[in-house]
Amino acid sequence: MKRLGILISGRGSNFEAIAGNVASGALPAEIAVVISNRTDARGLETALSRGLNAVCLPSKGLDREVYDRRLAAELHKHDVDLVCLAGFMRLLSAGFIREFPERILNIHPSLLPAFPGLDAQHQALAHGVKITGCTVHFVDEDLDAGPIVIQAAVPVRDDDTEETLSERILKQEHRIYSEAIGIVIAGKYRIDGRRVIFT
Amino acid sequence: MKRLGILISGRGSNFEAIAGNVASGALPAEIAVVISNRTDARGLETALSRGLNAVCLPSKGLDREVYDRRLAAELHKHDVDLVCLAGFMRLLSAGFIREFPERILNIHPSLLPAFPGLDAQHQALAHGVKITGCTVHFVDEDLDAGPIVIQAAVPVRDDDTEETLSERILKQEHRIYSEAIGIVIAGKYRIDGRRVIFT
């Protein structure tokens, strides 16, 4: 069984969806550890209530390199095969990314390369797109820019607010993140240039 | 009946789709004139064979402002209400765009704002997106950037080439362009910031 390390900063609703799929057997993996960089992340309680290892590793005031070394050490300690960012609100250093080559996934609430960065749903509404969505991608040294594993399209409605749009996107996030993790841990892909080809 | 002016540079397959919908009555409009900036545009023959006004207005060697004044004059001569770009391979000057405020539509083979400019399908494949599509938008002074009327999503397959992907996108282009024209000529929308809201 491949071992997942899940990084959160808040509620971690994607973590909850992954945990549900692991518990049901739909995702054949083990959650080795859930790590939050914030002490008040609600996802930590969820992890504990599910009997998972939950670690709080506060990042406040720490230098990025120093923090990332601690984070990597914690993940290695739990023998993590794949790192899954689930609303982890920090940029990772190049050193951290080199430590887990092709072994860090992120989910982003837009059809990348459109609307990278913060407030993707707000960006989508302000730009007036009629279709947005979400993207699971490998993490590389650029923001929201690594090779794309899965995307899902979501319609934008005329009466959408950030909340209603975010909710509609989140449903798809919960579906595709587990699907992408399944493909990656099974090794059922190869990377050709920027393209992730399923094998 | 609102009068359409269609601008082409080549085959104009979107023009053909629009002409089909006009002929069948699905799109309640009239094609006032088809104008090509290239003498060898195959769409001109199609227009003639359909009994439409077909005008060749060669752009080669002409200054943009000069050309665009002639183009605007030709469109006004045919009393055009809405200008539809259908594979028209020229940038339009600010003067031309001001001449037809909120009255120029374009179709682009990507989910804008992703992959503006040339070879959008190639860009999408090279970037490794799993979903792309097409966009009908109002034309403003920036390239492929005006308010979006309709978009359609199209999956990218692992074995896609530029040709197979372009073909899949084109099917959706043919559907949404007529739909967008119908909405715009019926005035069933308002623009709020960058958002086109249907009314």
Side-chain angles (χ1 to χ4, degrees), chain B residues 61-139:
Chain B
L62 283 187
D63 175 85
R64 189 178 310 282
E65 307 288 329
V66 172
Y67 183 76
D68 282 3
R69 272 198 298 274
R70 291 190 193 173
L71 191 58
E74 192 67 36
L75 290 163
H76 286 311
K77 193 174 114 188
H78 288 89
D79 217 3
V80 161
D81 297 299
L82 182 69
V83 179
C84 303
L85 311 185
F88 186 65
M89 302 300 282
R90 279 180 67 81
L91 287 176
L92 294 165
S93 60
F96 183 91
I97 289 161
R98 276 196 300 271
E99 193 88 8
F100 297 92
E102 238 176 76
R103 286 292 171 269
I104 313 172
L105 289 179
N106 184 37
I107 189 155
H108 183 82
S110 76
L111 289 176
L112 290 171
F115 315 126
L118 289 176
D119 297 324
Q121 301 93 337
H122 174 82
Q123 290 183 57
L125 283 175
H127 195 89
V129 293
K130 300 295 184 181
I131 295 175
T132 183
C134 49
T135 302
V136 181
H137 64 93
F138 287 106
V139 172

Side-chain angles (χ1 to χ4, degrees), chain A residues 114-155:
Chain A
F115 314 127
L118 289 177
D119 298 324
Q121 301 94 336
H122 174 83
Q123 291 183 56
L125 283 174
H127 195 90
V129 293
K130 300 294 185 183
I131 294 174
T132 184
C134 49
T135 301
V136 180
H137 64 93
F138 287 106
V139 172
D140 65 13
E141 298 182 20
D142 297 313
L143 178 65
D144 299 330
I148 292 168
V149 184
I150 304 188
Q151 294 183 301
V154 170

Side-chain angles (χ1 to χ4, degrees), chain A residues 127 130 151 158 196 198, chain B residues 127 130 151 158 194 196 198:
Chain A
H127 195 90
K130 300 294 185 183
Q151 294 183 301
D158 281 352
V196 179
F198 299 156
Chain B
H127 195 89
K130 300 295 184 181
Q151 295 184 300
D158 281 351
R194 283 189 51 87
V196 179
F198 299 156

